[in-house]
Amino acid sequence: GILLTSAGAPAGDEAYAVEVAPAGVTLRAGTPAGFLHAGTTLRQMLPPAIESATPSAGPWTVPGVRIEDRPRYPWRGFLLDCGRHFMSVALVKRVVDVLAFYKFTRFHWHLTEDQGWRIEIARFPQLTAVGAWRGVAGGKESAARHGGFYTKADIRDVVAYAQARGIAVVPEIELPGHCKAALASYPDLSCTGGPFAVETEWGVHADIYCAGNDRTFAVLEGVLEEVAELFPAPWVHLGADEVPKDRWKACPKCRTRIKAERLKDEAALQTWFVRRMAEYLERKGKRAICWDEILEGGAPQGVIVQAWRASEKAVSAAARAGHDVIHSPYSYTYLSYGIAGYWMNLEWVHKFEPTIEGDPPEKESPIGPEAERRLLGGEACLWTEGVEEPGVFPQILPRLLAVAENLWSPRAGKAWPDFSARAEAQRARLTAAGLAAGPSVYVDPPRP
Ligand code: ACM
Ligand code: ZN
């Protein structure tokens, strides 16, 4: 039999122990998260065939073990960009399954982009009626019109599904940039008045929310109110990355705002904009997360900074400014990059170390003890300009396992041959689960 008990449970929010002896299996934990991890570890010791949709009845044998385990960081996340390409609820749930199996704790759901607005907002129906649909992008997509969005029922379904598996869903509503789909829906929120089409080109786009227009804030507060109601987790990601300031420089309303608020420049205006939104979220009991560009105008107090630009030493900078940090250096954790040569293959991603930053390999430096105390953990990211639904798992597997390993396990004892063997052994399990994994190393395409 299997005994679940809090007696003799190891200390720590997510700590657990598993004992397999002739007399039976004992799972010890002091928290629901600990029991989930103990159960997952037991499942990982069963034969891969149990992952199939129709496993045989057994009996299964498990090796005799005594395991006591706890994670290095609490924030072990994965971002899925559903803005560039819409991903079905079924696909999203499969992603959550994989995250749960590798003991991730956060699903970062990137829901709004220049190329699509993906979340139903009752007060502003144009956001999805117009903003969820676009023409083909990049010229090589599977449909002439692309799009889709999540209804409130879809979102509640995904949130509950993830919660049952120990994963908090962190929604991202991008502002003040990456919002062309919203501007196509409500052009009066822009500096120029439009008109706009939902964007079909990738990249960074000039049109952003007008910071001088009070209606911008009324609409965004309405959006965030509905978002805060839908997602029980205490965090909302506000984006704030890649915001060109050209429109603000030329806009009379934005100039007036800068004067009235006695702001130094457009970077300060961005901080003012985000602070307003972060304070609104605070009144709803939520903390804002922003990408590291928010440091350029000074990040509002209490905001969590997600550091992605490795060369900016963003983790250290954010920690010095008193912010908690999530580390997502693009050069290790952006799984949207393919495997080319050595860079971004499985072995490279396994080199990701959350306490090191810089552009690899020559500029790497430790973040220091103060920043280490501020480090909540890290996230892998899948941006989907080049990926549609069938491509998601071959793109992220098996490399996601290396990110999971680096966020869970202590740095001491980290060894590539050991990890490599364990990661390759997962292939049978992924196959049994019907998940297509990609290669671990670069393979030259066949010559014609
Ligand atoms: C980002 O990659 N723009 C966060
Ligand atoms: Zn403006």
Side-chain angles (χ1 to χ4, degrees):
I2 301 180
L3 174 69
L4 279 70
T5 177
S6 299
D13 275 351
E14 298 187 67
Y16 69 91
V18 175
E19 292 152 31
V20 179
V25 176
T26 308
L27 309 182
R28 296 182 200 278
T31 63
F35 280 115
L36 276 172
H37 296 329
T40 300
T41 291
L42 182 61
R43 179 171 152 197
Q44 283 168 341
M45 293 190 292
L46 291 165
I50 65 138
E51 306 300 337
S52 102
T54 53
S56 74
W60 308 104
T61 56
V62 192
V65 290
R66 290 179 72 94
I67 294 169
E68 191 183 309
D69 200 10
R70 57 175 56 71
R72 182 176 177 193
Y73 296 106
W75 196 288
R76 304 185 303 282
F78 174 68
L79 174 150
L80 182 63
D81 170 11
C82 296
R84 271 54 176 258
H85 281 109
F86 178 72
M87 304 285 166
S88 68
V89 167
L91 186 281
V92 169
K93 285 181 167 177
R94 290 296 272 154
V95 167
V96 168
D97 288 338
V98 170
L99 296 181
F101 194 64
Y102 295 109
K103 301 192 177 93
F104 283 85
T105 51
R106 309 281 184 261
F107 172 56
H108 178 167
W109 203 355
H110 190 79
L111 286 167
T112 71
E113 258 308 334
D114 295 309
Q115 296 83 6
W117 182 282
R118 305 288 176 223
I119 173 174
E120 176 187 15
I121 301 292
R123 254 169 287 193
F124 304 109
Q126 294 295 96
L127 287 172
T128 44
V130 172
W133 307 95
R134 61 165 164 80
V136 277
K140 49 175 185 181
E141 285 183 291
S142 56
R145 198 169 98 108
H146 178 86
F149 66 91
Y150 307 103
T151 65
K152 295 204 176 203
D154 289 337
I155 291 191
R156 289 196 182 95
D157 184 23
V158 168
V159 165
Y161 189 87
Q163 212 165 26
R165 287 157 182 78
I167 293 172
V169 182
V170 180
E172 181 173 357
I173 307 297
E174 280 259 27
L175 54 86
H178 281 293
C179 62
K180 200 83 179 281
L183 298 184
S185 312
Y186 294 99
D188 58 321
L189 305 183
S190 70
C191 288
T192 64
F196 308 100
V198 179
E199 188 56 59
T200 58
E201 300 291 327
W202 311 131
V204 174
H205 299 281
D207 289 293
I208 62 176
Y209 291 119
C210 178
N213 181 355
D214 287 333
R215 179 160 150 81
T216 299
F217 298 97
V219 169
L220 288 175
E221 286 181 7
V223 167
L224 291 180
E225 183 171 7
E226 294 189 30
V227 167
E229 278 164 18
L230 273 174
F231 295 89
W235 312 279
V236 175
H237 205 302
L238 295 179
D241 58 316
E242 299 179 323
V243 183
K245 305 298 191 301
D246 314 70
R247 294 291 184 263
W248 285 0
K249 283 182 184 152
C251 172
K253 281 188 272 191
C254 288
R255 309 307 318 156
T256 302
R257 180 79 77 190
I258 286 177
K259 279 211 191 74
E261 299 293 332
R262 299 170 191 280
L263 302 170
K264 183 163 140 275
D265 55 14
E266 290 74 26
L269 182 58
Q270 167 156 334
T271 290
W272 179 86
F273 190 121
V274 172
R275 178 180 293 122
R276 219 173 136 155
M277 294 293 102
E279 285 173 356
Y280 179 79
L281 283 176
E282 219 170 278
R283 295 199 289 280
K284 300 273 161 199
K286 312 279 185 190
R287 262 179 97 185
I289 307 172
C290 293
W291 297 103
D292 63 70
E293 284 94 328
I294 195 60
L295 296 166
E296 290 164 8
Q301 208 188 350
V303 163
I304 298 170
V305 174
Q306 183 163 13
W308 71 280
R309 297 176 304 170
S311 60
E312 306 287 329
K313 303 271 192 291
V315 176
S316 308
R320 272 199 307 278
H323 299 278
D324 290 341
V325 195
I326 300 160
H327 203 181
S328 296
Y330 72 87
S331 48
Y332 290 101
T333 67
Y334 275 23
L335 303 182
S336 14
Y337 293 115
I339 294 177
Y342 187 62
W343 189 52
M344 289 301 277
N345 68 20
L346 182 63
E347 184 172 6
W348 179 267
V349 177
H350 183 250
K351 291 180 198 293
F352 166 47
E353 163 51 39
T355 65
I356 300 285
E357 66 185 332
D359 264 337
E362 69 282 4
K363 289 190 233 157
E364 290 192 343
S365 60
I367 61 174
E370 166 61 17
E372 281 193 37
R373 280 192 287 279
R374 289 290 191 174
L375 195 55
L376 304 178
E379 272 185 21
C381 300
L382 183 66
W383 304 102
T384 57
E385 288 91 340
V387 184
E388 293 186 64
E389 227 175 275
V392 167
F393 290 111
Q395 187 74 23
I396 64 175
L397 295 171
R399 295 181 294 170
L400 189 66
L401 279 61
V403 178
E405 174 84 354
N406 294 332
L407 294 172
W408 181 283
S409 299
R411 192 177 183 194
K414 178 167 162 170
W416 163 248
D418 166 63
F419 171 76
S420 172
R422 287 184 288 116
E424 297 307 330
Q426 291 294 307
R427 287 186 181 277
R429 191 169 293 276
L430 295 169
T431 302
L435 294 164
S440 300
V441 295
Y442 181 75
V443 183
D444 276 327
R447 285 170 187 279

